[in-house]
Amino acid sequence: MSSTPQLTANQANAQHSTGPRTDEGKARVSQNALRHGLTARHLVIRDDEHEEFADLLNSLSSELDPQGAVETVAFHELLHAAWSLHRFRRIEAEASRGSVEDFTDPATTTVLDRLTRYQSRAQRAWQKALHELRVLQTNRALRALKLDQQEAAEV
């Protein structure tokens, strides 16, 4: 536990540490925790990836055709996971040299191990979102069917 003089000194020193004051400084500091975007809550799309992302979005959207708000939310979870998996493959290729040194160099193995952990998380998110979206779409299709009374009782 801090003594009274230490507590007083800490409080006095805290008054000198006010953080950035300019808009530029605040903008720069707001990105301190962002390194690679692999665990970001929002999609990270580099400037050179916008066309690829648009292709993925259009392809998935036309194939899965989400309807309504709930399906759209599940679709966006699926899209986020799909894009993350795409980025992981690229980052993995950039991190590895394609030689046996990838498995003997401690720095490279650390990066690849962490990448594998993130990739596994994204794969689980992909599977969960795809399953959820398929269930929602199946339920919607079943609700759209007009069943006679006997069929409805059996279902």
Side-chain angles (χ1 to χ4, degrees):
M1 185 150 166
S2 300
S3 66
T4 303
Q6 285 176 323
L7 188 60
T8 305
N10 285 344
Q11 289 173 343
N13 286 336
Q15 298 306 312
H16 299 299
S17 177
T18 61
R21 293 188 174 122
T22 65
D23 288 339
E24 179 185 332
K26 290 177 185 179
R28 188 175 61 245
V29 169
S30 73
Q31 301 302 309
N32 279 350
L34 184 63
R35 292 187 183 162
H36 45 62
L38 297 179
T39 58
R41 288 189 181 115
H42 304 287
L43 284 172
V44 176
I45 306 168
R46 295 186 319 207
D47 290 338
D48 62 330
E49 297 174 329
H50 284 286
E51 188 174 329
E52 271 181 281
F53 177 75
D55 290 344
L56 177 66
L57 172 63
N58 293 335
S59 177
L60 286 174
S61 181
S62 66
E63 183 175 333
L64 298 172
D65 190 30
Q67 302 291 315
V70 178
E71 286 184 21
T72 301
V73 168
F75 173 77
H76 284 288
E77 289 294 321
L78 182 108
L79 176 65
H80 189 137
W83 183 248
S84 294
L85 289 169
H86 176 78
R87 291 190 69 230
F88 293 144
R89 284 188 212 96
R90 175 180 289 147
I91 293 168
E92 184 177 31
E94 290 171 357
S96 86
R97 295 181 211 106
S99 68
V100 74
E101 292 173 1
D102 291 342
F103 303 104
T104 58
D105 178 34
T108 305
T109 55
T110 301
V111 168
L112 293 176
D113 286 345
R114 183 169 294 142
L115 187 62
T116 300
R117 198 166 50 245
Y118 295 151
Q119 192 172 20
S120 296
R121 187 181 308 155
Q123 286 170 338
R124 285 190 303 274
W126 161 268
Q127 290 297 328
K128 181 181 175 184
L130 183 60
H131 175 74
E132 183 178 336
L133 183 59
R134 292 292 189 200
V135 166
L136 290 168
Q137 290 177 330
T138 300
N139 289 343
R140 176 173 42 90
L142 287 174
R143 282 191 308 271
L145 288 176
K146 302 293 185 204
L147 303 177
D148 64 31
Q149 288 180 348
Q150 182 181 359
E151 290 174 328
E154 291 175 6
V155 172

